[in-house]
Amino acid sequence: MNRLDFHTKIAALQQLDKTKTVQHRIGICCGAGCISSGSEEILKKLESEVQQRGLSEKVEVIPTGCMGPCNHGPLLKHLDQHTIYQKVNCTNITSILQQHVIEQTLIEDQLLFSDSRTNAHADYRADPFFKKQCKIALRNCGKINPESIEAYLLQDGYKALDKALFEYTPEEIIGEIKHSRLRGRGGAGYPTGIKWETVYKYVNNEKYVICNGDEGDPGAFMDRSILEGDPFSVLEGITIAAYAVGASKGYAYIRGEYPLAIKRFESALKQARKWGLLGNQILGSSFHFDLEVRIGAGAFVCGEETALIASIEGKRGTPKPRPPFPAQSGLWGKPTLINNVETFAAIVPIVLKGGEWYSEIGTAKSAGTKVFALAGKVNYAGLIEVPMGTSLREIVFEIGGGMQNQASFKAAQTGGPSGGCIPIEFLDVKMDYESLLSLGSIMGSGGLIIMDEHSDMVDVARFFMEFCMDESCGKCVPCRVGTKMMHDLLQKICINKGTNKDLERLEELALYVKETSLCGLGASAPNPLLSTLRHFRSEYETRIHPSQDTVQDKNQSG
Amino acid sequence: MNTIHVNINNIEIPTTADKTILDVCREHKIDIPTMCHLKGLSDVGACRLCIVEIEGMNKLQSACTTKVADHMIIQTNTDRIKKYRRITTELFFAERNHVCSVCVANGKCELQNLGYQVEMDHVRYPFLFPQCEVDTSHPWYVMDHNRCIMCTRCVRVCQEVEGAHNWDVMNRGHAVRIISDFNTPWGESTTCTSCGKCLHACPTGAIWPKAIVQGQLEKKPEIIEELIEKRKMHDGF
Amino acid sequence: MKNRKKIATVWLGGCSGCHMSFLDIDERILDIIQLADIVKSPIVDQKEFPYVDLALVEGSVTCDEHLAEIKNIRAKSKMLIAFGDCAVMTNVTGMRNYFPLNEVLDTSYVNAISNDEGGESPSHPCLMKLNDKAVPLQEVVTVDFVIPGCPPDADTIFYVLQEFLNDRTPNLSTAHKLKYG
């Protein structure tokens, strides 16, 4: 399909959409979270109900991606009237259809935020949970059917690729990305534009683009939700990146624990190929690009880029020392661009609206928005996207709706097993790369676990250390033995058998592992320990009993 | 190749850019301990003993995998590095069951020598005492996992020099083990050629020939490099 | 003779090889007793552990008795020296640590071919109770100096004693006397 045909087809699609008589577009969240609480059955039930009542002309039922407030799912969203029903089930779905759609009366007590502080429940957008958010990477999540390329195309889908291929040179795209000040969302926060430029500058007729969807942090589900909710936007972002850096082959590495994300992404690939948006001569240009899905087999370390590359090559997934960086010598030794799912999801809006627009969101050093998987003891937990620099307080008490059961906030854990804990004193910290780093935590990929007064911080450190110990690839000594040693010592302290000497050994080991490990997994494994030691040292000290300590008194000889 | 200049421990050294920091240090008799490095085999940077400080890099780099560059300023023996090398050595000893007094390699062991080199008089960390197998199924050789430090020299020599790829690594973290074929007894290997190169590559007493006792092991790790050189000569004819 | 020091040597969970090596300093023991008295040792008949300046402790801590003993020794010694590989890093005595304790005992007392039928592991209350794991001294008390080696060479032992008795601090590494096994 050439460009002209593409435009004609889009116009036809838009025309068709306009002539639709549908007044009620009802979205049922079909993200993995809501599916696990039965949303697929609800979807089927609603579809058959609509059919039976002869409402097909008026009511369209749409399976969508994640809508956000996951702990209140399964969710049903009236896409035209902006109301969300929570905890929907196969029984109350008929009454929702009857009362809300047919009789046009709200079922107040079943609406999301019905218990909320504002009168926001009639229009969910007025509630701080949504009002405080700024959805860029998640712009289509929970709005459209993720398995339909037509739905994506109606949301200006592939307009950015069209623009990139015919109105921009690769240098100009890279310029826009640099201008946007977008930074890698996988955790390290390396400037995306500079990474693209580096790969672009290496002259090689074979280059690769890799999308890192091996999201492994406990409690993190940003990439999964994006892949499930808007796979085309990721795919389009990858395609634009491939054009910019001069790659003709790509891989999407998605962890095997995300079967739905894999299914939807593969379906997206198929449809994009059909539309000529992937493959040879994309939109009639001279640009060729195709993408393959590679499924991760459950190793956390394969989220580390060199290990991920080894895994794609069919080798044991262990990291390699850098330099050389993948940009220089990556997959099969060729220049390779590797970015995270969320990074790619931000590319399309940047290309469409310009780098300037994106750079104005967020803070001076961290531009744009960040998706967080808000979890733990808040009232509204789920998937959120906020401008960089939003304070932790806003996230917990406005978006999250405060702590569950009126408990008091104790700490927020950011960055998963590589991150740290932020205590109550720093509740006003701005959520951006630099501020979190200065507190001994990291932005990471976006896991955000809120803990209340009942959380035991030593046990939190032990939990994350156990995770790192189990997930260490075993290649380098500091990570392989160091994490095991630190875990055992933490375990000892947890059961009140620790000594002051153990605490000393822990601190020494933590620094050693941080500074000498081969890859980022090892280097960041001590972070939860170090940050809890920094902010909650007293919890460690109260666990240590001097009586357990080695006998130190040295009496004078008689 | 053009001559470049690097500064190692405040001494200017002219060299070429195709070399690693370790190569240059060894050429100039600058002592850097190593365990996973063996001349002739590819480098993996796994043991982290050869870490050095490079000015302008915030991370410690492994000398065996980092190429020298012009005007690079390197420190190989700072207090911090010495401290970390000792911890690494202690972790080696604490990880598996290294009982020198009953080991075939006693007195000829690279791990023992490393301990002396980093002045380790004792191990400050608790010993882990894992249960490890001793595979005696091979007619001539023994693989004792108690003494293995996971340097993977055997894996690399088998793959890169012998071309048999009998050895590989399984599991993750502290549960990693060297395996023969797909984790079957060594004696049942369908790939092992019984060439014995892994014996000479092994830095400790983990792989050894049967019918020797404590302290009797003779290892010639240098034959690996010799072999590679001889092959090159042969290819030249 | 006012500065005469007191030395004790102790035999915990070890094979007494370190003590044998100690005796191998031969006539140099005369140099030692110029400076110190050996007040407690397997070769000295003394029931109570006295206050001493130097205690050389051979062997690892393997049972409840050892644990009590080493704590007492620590309390009564100015300087405690872990003497030999077992005391420093459990060595051969730690080789049982890879297995559960009951398996270890059964291997010796029940399953060994030399045992009579129906043998059982000893459990009399008068007997010392084996700990789950044999541990080096430093895991249970503060150790001031270590002499690794299985056994440490007589020269090394003499060197360390001589240095301490002359109020100097020995350094095994610079003296090239570091040895394991």
Side-chain angles (χ1 to χ4, degrees):
Chain A
M1 190 178 331
N2 64 32
R3 196 185 183 199
L4 202 65
D5 294 342
F6 180 67
H7 288 176
T8 322
K9 270 185 107 169
I10 298 275
L13 260 184
Q14 283 163 343
Q15 192 56 40
L16 190 72
D17 191 51
K18 268 186 203 152
T19 57
K20 271 192 182 168
T21 54
V22 172
Q23 292 161 358
H24 303 280
R25 290 179 301 135
I26 309 285
I28 301 280
C29 178
C30 287
C34 282
I35 286 182
S36 66
S37 42
S39 72
E40 274 180 329
E41 279 171 37
I42 299 164
L43 178 78
K44 270 187 207 135
K45 171 91 177 164
L46 183 61
E47 276 171 344
S48 72
E49 201 71 26
V50 167
Q51 201 93 50
Q52 274 173 21
R53 295 176 187 224
L55 294 170
S56 305
E57 297 277 285
K58 271 173 75 183
V59 180
E60 188 185 355
V61 183
I62 303 166
T64 72
C66 182
M67 294 175 179
C70 302
N71 67 336
H72 291 262
L75 297 166
L76 176 150
K77 189 197 268 181
H78 196 302
L79 291 162
D80 300 299
Q81 293 174 358
H82 308 292
T83 43
I84 297 182
Y85 285 94
Q86 60 176 346
K87 306 269 182 206
V88 179
N89 56 44
C90 283
T91 332
N92 68 6
I93 188 81
T94 28
S95 55
I96 292 171
L97 183 68
Q98 178 64 32
Q99 288 185 39
H100 187 119
V101 177
I102 300 175
E103 296 168 15
Q104 295 286 310
T105 50
L106 292 175
I107 312 174
E108 298 263 349
D109 60 339
Q110 286 176 29
L111 284 170
L112 182 69
F113 309 127
S114 57
D115 55 345
S116 197
R117 51 252 136 140
T118 53
N119 196 22
H121 53 282
D123 186 339
Y124 67 80
R125 292 173 301 179
D127 189 272
F129 183 89
F130 287 103
K131 212 170 156 185
K132 281 267 164 184
Q133 292 195 51
C134 170
K135 296 204 173 191
I136 294 175
L138 297 176
R139 64 197 180 284
N140 292 328
C141 266
K143 257 173 79 181
I144 62 166
N145 180 353
E147 296 197 52
S148 155
I149 194 168
E150 287 83 6
Y152 180 69
L153 288 166
L154 285 172
Q155 304 291 330
D156 290 339
Y158 281 101
K159 228 179 177 173
L161 178 67
D162 182 36
K163 191 172 164 189
L165 287 179
F166 298 101
E167 292 166 33
Y168 284 124
T169 61
E171 292 92 336
E172 282 166 342
I173 297 174
I174 291 168
E176 279 303 322
I177 303 297
K178 275 170 84 175
H179 195 58
S180 77
R181 298 188 293 119
L182 173 66
R183 294 169 65 175
R185 296 290 188 248
Y190 190 78
T192 307
I194 295 177
K195 205 181 218 183
W196 287 26
E197 190 175 53
T198 317
V199 180
Y200 170 76
K201 281 186 174 160
Y202 280 107
V203 183
N204 201 311
N205 52 14
E206 217 179 307
K207 291 184 193 175
Y208 295 95
V209 175
I210 297 174
C211 172
N212 184 347
D214 192 56
E215 177 179 60
D217 289 3
F221 46 88
M222 300 75 56
D223 296 350
R224 191 198 72 204
S225 301
I226 295 172
L227 286 169
E228 284 173 2
D230 194 13
F232 288 103
S233 134
V234 179
L235 179 56
E236 189 182 352
I238 299 171
T239 316
I240 293 170
Y243 171 69
V245 302
S248 57
K249 173 95 195 163
Y251 291 90
Y253 192 94
I254 307 174
R255 67 186 295 210
E257 291 89 335
Y258 289 174
L260 187 65
I262 294 165
K263 183 183 145 234
R264 294 206 177 137
F265 195 75
E266 279 189 329
S267 138
L269 289 183
K270 232 185 234 168
Q271 295 178 61
R273 282 195 197 106
K274 229 184 209 165
W275 273 73
L277 296 163
L278 209 54
N280 286 334
Q281 298 180 325
I282 292 173
L283 295 179
S285 72
S286 58
F287 171 57
H288 310 291
F289 179 67
D290 211 337
L291 193 70
E292 233 179 88
V293 173
R294 285 293 161 100
I295 300 169
F300 176 68
V301 72
C302 285
E304 198 280 341
E305 54 185 21
T306 56
L308 188 150
I309 287 170
S311 176
I312 292 180
E313 288 173 350
K315 296 177 187 152
R316 186 177 155 84
T318 54
K320 273 188 216 161
R322 298 176 302 179
F325 287 89
Q328 182 192 351
S329 170
L331 188 62
W332 320 112
K334 308 289 181 197
T336 302
L337 173 73
I338 175 160
N339 273 140
N340 171 265
V341 169
E342 195 188 326
T343 316
F344 281 125
I347 298 301
V348 171
I350 292 172
V351 172
L352 281 179
K353 298 185 185 175
E356 181 77 34
W357 161 79
Y358 194 80
S359 72
E360 279 165 6
I361 306 165
T363 63
K365 280 191 168 166
S366 306
T369 57
K370 178 78 194 86
V371 181
F372 288 103
L374 182 61
K377 299 289 171 68
V378 282
N379 281 317
Y380 293 97
L383 191 71
I384 61 167
E385 182 172 2
V386 290
M388 290 278 186
T390 305
S391 77
L392 180 59
R393 188 187 295 278
E394 286 171 275
I395 293 179
V396 175
F397 290 97
E398 297 191 38
I399 296 176
M403 305 297 290
Q404 283 175 10
N405 309 319
Q406 277 88 44
S408 58
F409 171 91
K410 183 171 188 180
Q413 215 279 346
T414 72
S418 314
C421 291
I422 300 167
I424 192 160
E425 303 93 275
F426 300 103
L427 204 49
D428 286 307
V429 62
K430 302 231 170 299
M431 300 293 274
D432 60 47
Y433 292 99
E434 281 71 27
S435 309
L436 290 177
L437 206 59
S438 72
L439 290 182
S441 186
I442 60 162
M443 171 76 83
S445 60
L448 182 56
I449 301 164
I450 310 298
M451 290 174 278
D452 68 12
E453 60 212 296
H454 306 296
S455 299
D456 170 355
M457 301 316 284
V458 184
D459 196 53
V460 168
R462 189 206 56 80
F463 168 80
F464 283 113
M465 192 57 76
E466 183 179 7
F467 180 85
C468 290
M469 172 185 84
D470 286 342
E471 293 298 341
S472 162
C473 78
K475 180 172 178 175
C476 77
V477 184
C479 180
R480 180 179 77 228
V481 198
T483 53
K484 166 80 177 154
M485 214 52 103
M486 286 192 286
H487 171 265
D488 289 3
L489 290 169
L490 277 168
Q491 180 86 42
K492 204 172 154 194
I493 293 175
C494 273
I495 57 167
N496 297 329
K497 290 222 165 134
T499 63
N500 282 311
K501 190 175 159 192
D502 291 331
L503 204 55
E504 270 168 42
R505 297 199 271 201
L506 258 180
E507 283 187 290
E508 186 182 55
L509 275 173
L511 271 182
Y512 159 77
V513 174
K514 195 179 171 76
E515 292 201 352
T516 59
S517 286
L518 171 58
C519 81
L521 190 159
S524 61
N527 283 353
L529 166 65
L530 285 168
S531 86
T532 48
L533 267 174
R534 178 172 160 188
H535 299 301
F536 299 95
R537 198 182 178 89
S538 61
E539 292 200 20
Y540 284 85
E541 281 163 354
T542 53
R543 292 286 185 90
I544 283 166
H545 293 265
S547 60
Q548 298 277 358
D549 230 324
T550 52
V551 182
Q552 293 203 347
D553 53 318
K554 295 180 208 166
N555 294 349
Q556 294 297 309
S557 57
Chain B
M1 190 163 266
N2 290 339
T3 302
I4 59 165
H5 288 85
V6 292
N7 181 312
I8 304 180
N9 301 343
N10 307 319
I11 299 163
E12 284 291 322
I13 295 173
T15 181
T16 49
D18 58 334
K19 289 180 179 151
T20 64
I21 296 172
L22 185 67
D23 290 335
V24 177
C25 287
R26 293 259 153 111
E27 278 168 22
H28 291 83
K29 305 265 180 284
I30 298 166
D31 205 14
I32 292 185
T34 55
M35 228 1 117
C36 66
H37 168 83
L38 181 64
K39 226 170 169 197
L41 302 182
S42 64
D43 280 307
V44 287
C47 72
R48 313 310 286 167
L49 281 166
C50 68
I51 44 166
V52 293
E53 288 176 14
I54 301 172
E55 214 173 276
M57 285 194 183
N58 51 8
K59 279 186 187 147
L60 298 170
Q61 299 287 337
S62 45
C64 66
T65 57
T66 312
K67 292 253 162 71
V68 286
D70 208 5
H71 306 304
M72 206 180 236
I73 301 172
I74 303 157
Q75 289 293 336
T76 69
N77 211 21
T78 62
D79 286 344
R80 173 166 73 139
I81 289 176
K82 278 198 267 189
K83 186 173 110 191
Y84 287 163
R85 281 182 186 149
R86 166 152 181 182
I87 298 179
T88 300
T89 312
E90 288 172 282
L91 293 184
F92 269 136
F93 274 89
E95 185 189 11
R96 301 254 175 120
N97 308 309
H98 298 280
V99 185
C100 300
S101 53
V102 298
C103 180
V104 287
N106 191 9
K108 290 138 188 169
C109 172
E110 287 183 40
L111 185 59
Q112 272 183 329
N113 289 335
L114 173 68
Y116 306 149
Q117 199 179 347
V118 302
E119 304 182 5
M120 182 194 89
D121 56 355
H122 73 294
V123 176
R124 293 166 300 157
Y125 304 103
F127 290 87
L128 298 179
F129 299 119
Q131 251 192 47
C132 298
E133 273 183 35
V134 181
D135 183 347
T136 57
S137 61
H138 193 281
W140 307 337
Y141 311 128
V142 178
M143 170 80 194
D144 184 347
H145 294 279
N146 290 290
R147 299 165 183 167
C148 172
I149 58 161
M150 294 304 301
C151 68
T152 68
R153 273 155 56 162
C154 57
V155 177
R156 283 172 284 150
V157 80
C158 189
Q159 185 188 342
E160 296 168 13
V161 184
E162 176 64 6
H165 203 148
N166 169 59
W167 296 120
D168 213 317
V169 180
M170 75 166 182
N171 290 350
R172 285 203 293 256
H174 58 99
V176 285
R177 292 288 183 275
I178 298 289
I179 49 168
S180 166
D181 281 354
F182 288 107
N183 193 24
T184 46
W186 189 5
E188 292 166 22
S189 169
T190 55
T191 51
C192 176
T193 60
S194 302
C195 71
K197 288 186 190 68
C198 50
L199 266 74
H200 293 290
C202 178
T204 69
I207 310 180
W208 46 282
K210 285 183 177 174
I212 61 161
V213 294
Q214 195 261 26
Q216 282 192 332
L217 186 63
E218 292 297 336
K219 291 212 185 209
K220 288 181 269 175
E222 63 284 353
I223 63 157
I224 308 297
E225 197 200 357
E226 279 172 34
L227 202 59
I228 294 166
E229 289 304 315
K230 280 175 191 162
R231 282 185 191 167
K232 275 189 204 153
M233 278 165 63
H234 183 81
D235 289 346
F237 284 118
Chain C
M1 294 294 251
K2 63 178 177 165
N3 274 336
R4 283 185 71 79
K5 292 194 163 73
K6 287 178 179 155
I7 299 177
T9 73
V10 185
W11 176 15
L12 297 182
C15 69
S16 95
C18 299
H19 274 85
M20 296 299 146
S21 197
F22 174 52
L23 294 178
D24 281 343
I25 65 174
D26 298 336
E27 74 285 357
R28 285 175 291 182
I29 201 161
L30 298 175
D31 298 337
I32 300 293
I33 57 170
Q34 288 291 314
L35 299 163
D37 295 323
I38 300 173
V39 293
K40 167 83 178 150
S41 169
I43 52 167
V44 175
D45 187 13
Q46 159 84 15
K47 303 296 180 236
E48 287 294 309
F49 193 88
Y51 286 97
V52 294
D53 296 279
L54 280 182
L56 275 85
V57 182
E58 175 195 338
S60 60
V61 177
T62 68
C63 62
D64 53 352
E65 224 169 72
H66 288 161
L67 189 61
E69 212 175 330
I70 191 67
K71 289 202 167 169
N72 182 39
I73 293 166
R74 173 70 274 182
K76 291 180 170 174
S77 310
K78 275 191 187 167
M79 176 156 295
L80 194 154
I81 301 174
F83 179 32
D85 271 353
C86 292
V88 179
M89 35 197 170
T90 68
N91 197 25
V92 175
T93 50
M95 290 176 83
R96 72 162 167 95
N97 289 355
Y98 331 145
F99 309 100
L101 184 59
N102 59 333
E103 240 175 69
V104 174
L105 286 169
D106 286 354
T107 303
S108 313
Y109 291 98
V110 182
N111 302 328
I113 301 165
S114 55
N115 287 335
D116 293 335
E117 283 285 316
E120 58 183 272
S121 295
S123 59
H124 194 278
C126 283
L127 293 171
M128 59 185 192
K129 253 181 75 191
L130 279 185
N131 292 339
D132 271 355
K133 303 258 184 247
V135 292
L137 303 189
Q138 54 132 349
E139 283 301 309
V140 284
V141 291
T142 305
V143 172
D144 303 305
F145 193 79
V146 300
I147 314 175
C150 182
D153 290 338
D155 285 350
T156 308
I157 300 166
F158 180 70
Y159 161 74
V160 171
L161 286 177
Q162 211 185 21
E163 292 298 290
F164 277 128
L165 294 179
N166 286 301
D167 296 318
R168 296 188 294 262
T169 307
N171 185 324
L172 294 179
S173 192
T174 50
H176 301 288
K177 290 187 188 302
L178 212 48
K179 180 185 93 117
Y180 333 119

